[in-house]
Amino acid sequence: MSDAGTLYTDWRGVPELARGATLALGNFDGVHRGHRAVLRAAHAARPELKLAALTFEPHPREHFRPDDPPFRLTLAAGKAAALRAAGADLVVALPFDAAFAAMSAEDFVSEVLHRGLGAKHLACGADFAFGHRRGGDVAFLAAQAEKLGMGLTIVPPVADETGPISSSGIRRALQDGYPERAATALGRAWTIHGPVSHGDKRGRTIGFPTANVPLGRHLEPARGVYAVDVTLADGQVVPGVANIGLRPTVGGSESRVEAHLFDFSGDLYGQEVAVGLRHFLRPEQKFSGLPALVAQIGADAAEARRLLGLAPAAG
């Protein structure tokens, strides 16, 4: 039901302490600068109330189009953490299933927002749509909220030099190999969260031990080599270089992240880490053999250190 009292997955039977909040609404994939503007607007309207973020799991697109390639910028845990970091006291992640998808827009407002959560004020982006076949828009929400005594703030898009910030635009930037553009729109580096899993142990035999992190349901960015920083479970941040892709030189068949952490030794197996993409170095390529691969990894590591503002490796 809850995680440390702040994550709720059902609007029915929400404890009294979680009711009566000012509520930011959205899918919030990525929790980018536009999403954070919605949270700020919800808080600014009723600063004396608790700030809650209401979102959906899985993302509605995953429910309706389950065969789509993974596209998520943030998975459930990472999204909840980012919403909390952006100021949400409570996160309500409603299960998006067939029954929920069939709920009318009117019932969503009256049963979920008003009766279930007791929301006092709502905030959303101008393109927020909800209910069966996305039958409710912000005009409908405004009329229903007024009828039920809830305030509403409609938040215009936040734009940067390329136009309005959106999750789809951030996905494109990552797929095109521009993590810096994605970071500008997000307000932080894009990160891939996951457990360090056992790889084929080849990295340690060639002098570059790696932490292997499955992409899971994350979007696959441009395949290739990146300068990264890796946040460990204890909060320590370690710079490094990472390959994302199939590893064609060694016959890989499944995309994953292999991160080599600079000047670090320690057993990370099973630990949840976050790999932040800082700079794209080069596309993935197939080498003639391990000696050529090892030489290129050395060059990549040196370039990553330079881009991250680090001193060259000792020795």
Side-chain angles (χ1 to χ4, degrees):
M1 176 66 179
S2 71
D3 171 18
T6 59
L7 178 66
Y8 299 94
T9 57
D10 195 337
W11 74 89
R12 294 158 293 215
V14 169
E16 201 56 39
L17 66 91
R19 290 172 50 80
T22 180
L23 192 60
L25 308 170
N27 287 320
F28 296 128
D29 188 28
V31 193
H32 57 60
R33 285 167 51 202
H35 295 146
R36 294 203 291 282
V38 175
L39 286 160
R40 284 197 302 273
H43 176 67
R46 296 292 299 270
E48 77 281 8
L49 299 178
K50 283 191 172 171
L51 173 60
L54 182 144
T55 187
F56 311 99
E57 283 296 338
H59 190 291
R61 181 174 146 191
E62 290 176 299
H63 171 77
F64 289 116
R65 291 154 55 183
D67 296 328
D68 274 9
F71 65 89
R72 294 279 296 262
L73 296 171
T74 41
L75 305 187
K79 181 167 69 171
L83 287 166
R84 290 192 197 103
D89 301 302
L90 313 161
V91 177
V92 182
L94 298 182
F96 198 94
D97 55 17
F100 193 84
M103 180 183 289
S104 71
E106 189 169 353
D107 282 351
F108 174 71
V109 181
S110 62
E111 297 301 316
V112 177
L113 303 183
H114 179 61
R115 187 169 301 163
L117 299 174
K120 295 284 197 292
H121 192 91
L122 310 171
C124 64
D127 59 352
F128 182 64
F130 55 94
H132 183 56
R133 297 186 182 277
R134 293 168 64 86
D137 59 10
V138 291
F140 179 86
L141 183 60
Q144 295 295 307
E146 185 175 20
K147 192 166 72 175
L148 296 167
M150 296 184 288
L152 172 63
T153 305
I154 297 169
V155 183
V158 174
D160 61 16
E161 62 277 4
T162 64
I165 291 170
S166 68
S167 299
S168 56
I170 294 167
R171 294 183 194 111
R172 279 195 302 275
L174 291 165
Q175 289 172 319
D176 291 344
Y178 295 103
E180 299 92 343
R181 284 185 200 166
T184 297
L186 287 164
R188 64 190 185 285
W190 182 62
T191 53
I192 297 166
H193 293 251
V196 176
S197 58
H198 288 274
D200 47 29
K201 310 289 196 299
R202 187 177 285 104
R204 65 179 62 178
T205 68
I206 60 175
F208 292 97
T210 57
N212 299 286
V213 180
L215 278 171
R217 296 294 299 165
H218 287 97
L219 172 89
E220 182 177 10
R223 291 177 180 171
V225 178
Y226 292 82
V228 300
D229 47 41
V230 181
T231 305
L232 308 184
D234 63 3
Q236 182 184 359
V237 180
V238 185
V241 64
N243 184 82
I244 299 178
L246 296 173
R247 301 160 298 121
T249 305
V250 295
S253 59
E254 182 184 28
S255 269
R256 66 184 186 199
V257 184
E258 289 190 325
H260 171 65
L261 280 59
F262 296 147
D263 310 314
F264 178 85
S265 60
D267 185 1
L268 297 176
Y269 287 124
Q271 188 175 136
E272 288 280 337
V273 302
V275 182
L277 305 192
R278 297 282 300 280
H279 305 284
F280 183 73
L281 273 60
R282 63 170 176 83
E284 186 170 57
Q285 63 192 99
K286 185 171 183 177
F287 295 94
S288 56
L290 280 181
L293 174 64
V294 171
Q296 185 61 54
I297 293 173
D300 292 339
E303 175 67 358
R305 283 181 185 270
R306 186 187 71 78
L307 287 169
L308 294 172
L310 305 173

